Amino acid sequence: QVLLVESGGGSVQPGGSLRLSCVASGFNLRYSAIGWFRQAPGKDPEGVSCTDSRDGMKYYHDSVKGRFTISRDNAKSTVYLQMNSLRPEDTGVYSCGRLRHPALVGQWTSRSAYGYWGQGTQVTVSS
């Protein structure tokens, strides 16, 4: 059974940092591409970042480049999202997903490219 479990969300002030974790089970993370999405209240979900299993490539939404870093620890079957210099507009529910196939990484910003999702973790950035 494929399972993705996020943690690490919380409430921080602008400029603060959080590290999200996505623990995977039921499949070998080493051969999977994993992405992070977020959904703010009243808005559509948007792709934040993705890590490709094949060549180590990492992808980011323009709004988080230079502030967020995605990484993976295959031995721990975990993908991380380090979020620094957080802004109020980063507020939302963050979810990790597994691409249906690594070859779909070019579509990483499309939710339809993913086959499995975690339950999400809330991130609130507010003063």
Side-chain angles (χ1 to χ4, degrees), residues 18-89:
L18 286 172
R19 187 177 79 159
L20 306 184
S21 298
C22 171
V23 179
S25 60
F27 64 97
N28 194 331
L29 182 66
R30 185 179 305 276
Y31 306 114
S32 298
I34 302 294
W36 283 97
F37 270 66
R38 67 185 177 193
Q39 185 168 20
K43 294 187 176 181
D44 292 332
E46 65 177 1
V48 175
S49 185
C50 180
T51 169
D52 189 348
S53 60
R54 298 169 301 171
D55 55 12
M57 285 294 293
K58 301 175 182 180
Y59 305 88
Y60 298 96
H61 189 279
D62 284 347
S63 67
V64 307
K65 286 180 180 177
R67 301 188 297 123
F68 290 13
T69 302
I70 192 169
S71 62
R72 62 166 65 207
D73 185 336
N74 291 329
K76 295 183 178 180
S77 200
T78 302
V79 175
Y80 303 98
L81 186 67
Q82 177 67 44
M83 306 187 297
N84 299 328
S85 302
L86 283 162
R87 305 168 180 169
E89 55 264 37

